[in-house]
Amino acid sequence: MSVSAGLALAGVSAFTAATSHAYLKAGEDKLAVRVCSALLCAALALPVALWAGNLSLNLWLLLAGFALLSFINQLTMVVSYEISDFSHAYPLARGVVPLAMAMLGVFYLGDTLTTPAIFGIFAITFGILALALGRGMSRRGWGAAAFTGLTTIIYSLLAAQGMREADNIVAFLAWLFVTDGILLPIYLAWRFRGDAVPRLRSAWPMGWQSGLLTLISFATWSFAVRLAPVGVVSAIRESSVLIALVLASLMLKERLDQWRIASGLLIVSGAVAIVLGAG
């Protein structure tokens, strides 16, 4: 029952994650959109964090590592979306995450995986990577997307560890959003100085929507990893590339070809295997 609930939460996370990233890609000033998103999450989480209470030193250290890696991740993600199509960059950045998280979950967090889950994770991983292969991305585009994926893996592992170790999961999650909203706004203010506020004002219509969806996406993912193996949750969440394909076509007018559709079907088969294996 708990695994099924975790998969359901991961499904919600997948939908909201893809939609949030589509809003970010659609924004003209992607850095400002991302800063608006981070500020909204932090502002909504701060009252909850102050009410929920303090954390242990070990959890604060995990949050410090998470905040630094998330900051680096967001900068490279912005670069990736500026130089590559959303339907190219997003799958590459997310492609290696399910398999890597599954391996780390087994060896680092002590997770166990069923045979259908292992098949599903591999199917989703290869399906996602197939979406990015041979798509004519520049070396810089490949590098930015791949590095975004690497930092996603590491900060996700820290967040999953914190959610499992925390006695007060509401406090940990609230402080996670607060700390995540510190470095990127400081960077924007330093880089653009007097132009920072006008940039934020212009980006706010996209930024608040992306931020609200980000809050829902990461919160549901965080609770999901307490209920199900982190590799399974990540595989379901990263199947959000299917939603990203649809959004890239509808919102960003990017073309879908037969290769992408076939890759999407492989991802679907993996997700079905995971759900049936959890049944």
Side-chain angles (χ1 to χ4, degrees):
M1 180 64 181
S2 62
V3 174
S4 298
L7 295 182
L9 289 171
V12 174
S13 180
F15 176 79
T16 49
T19 312
S20 172
H21 282 259
Y23 276 117
L24 173 61
K25 172 63 178 176
E28 293 185 9
D29 188 340
K30 294 172 178 54
L31 178 59
V33 170
R34 193 65 196 91
V35 170
C36 288
S37 173
L39 287 173
L40 178 69
C41 291
L44 292 175
L46 182 58
V48 179
L50 294 174
W51 166 79
N54 206 351
L55 302 172
S56 66
L57 176 60
N58 183 56
L59 291 178
W60 279 116
L61 292 175
L62 287 175
L63 285 182
F66 173 89
L68 178 60
L69 287 164
S70 178
F71 168 66
I72 297 171
N73 173 271
Q74 291 174 82
L75 289 182
T76 56
M77 179 173 59
V78 166
V79 172
S80 180
Y81 288 165
E82 285 177 344
I83 61 181
S84 303
D85 279 355
F86 181 57
S87 57
H88 298 170
Y90 190 75
L92 180 58
R94 318 304 290 197
V96 296
V97 174
L99 185 56
M101 289 299 293
M103 295 174 64
L104 290 170
V106 170
F107 293 110
Y108 185 68
L109 300 178
D111 288 343
T112 57
L113 298 173
T114 64
T115 299
I118 294 172
F119 169 81
I121 290 168
F122 272 98
I124 289 173
T125 297
F126 290 131
I128 294 172
L129 290 176
L131 290 171
L133 294 177
R135 308 318 303 168
M137 290 175 64
S138 66
R139 288 186 178 181
R140 188 172 175 231
W142 272 87
F147 193 74
T148 300
L150 176 63
T151 51
T152 298
I153 292 166
I154 303 174
Y155 82 61
S156 296
L157 183 66
L158 294 177
Q161 182 180 353
M163 283 297 292
R164 292 186 178 182
E165 291 184 3
D167 294 326
N168 187 339
I169 58 176
V170 173
F172 177 80
L173 187 58
W175 283 115
L176 181 147
F177 282 115
V178 172
T179 55
D180 192 43
I182 296 174
L183 293 178
L184 201 63
I186 291 174
Y187 172 78
L188 181 76
W190 168 79
R191 181 176 174 182
F192 296 105
R193 295 176 173 83
D195 196 33
V197 173
R199 282 176 171 269
L200 292 176
R201 188 180 298 116
S202 177
W204 179 249
M206 286 287 185
W208 78 263
Q209 296 177 83
S210 177
L212 187 59
L213 289 165
T214 297
L215 184 69
I216 297 170
S217 175
F218 206 82
T220 50
W221 179 89
S222 298
F223 281 101
V225 296
R226 285 181 62 94
L227 302 173
V230 67
V232 170
V233 172
S234 293
I236 294 296
R237 184 176 191 262
E238 302 315 334
S239 64
S240 61
V241 296
L242 291 173
I243 304 166
L245 286 178
V246 176
L247 295 175
S249 177
L250 296 178
M251 292 178 59
L252 308 175
K253 307 305 179 184
E254 297 178 9
R255 187 177 65 88
L256 297 181
D257 55 26
Q258 292 181 347
W259 177 264
R260 297 191 196 186
I261 295 172
S263 301
L265 293 176
L266 182 58
I267 295 169
V268 170
S269 70
V272 170
I274 289 174
V275 172
L276 293 178

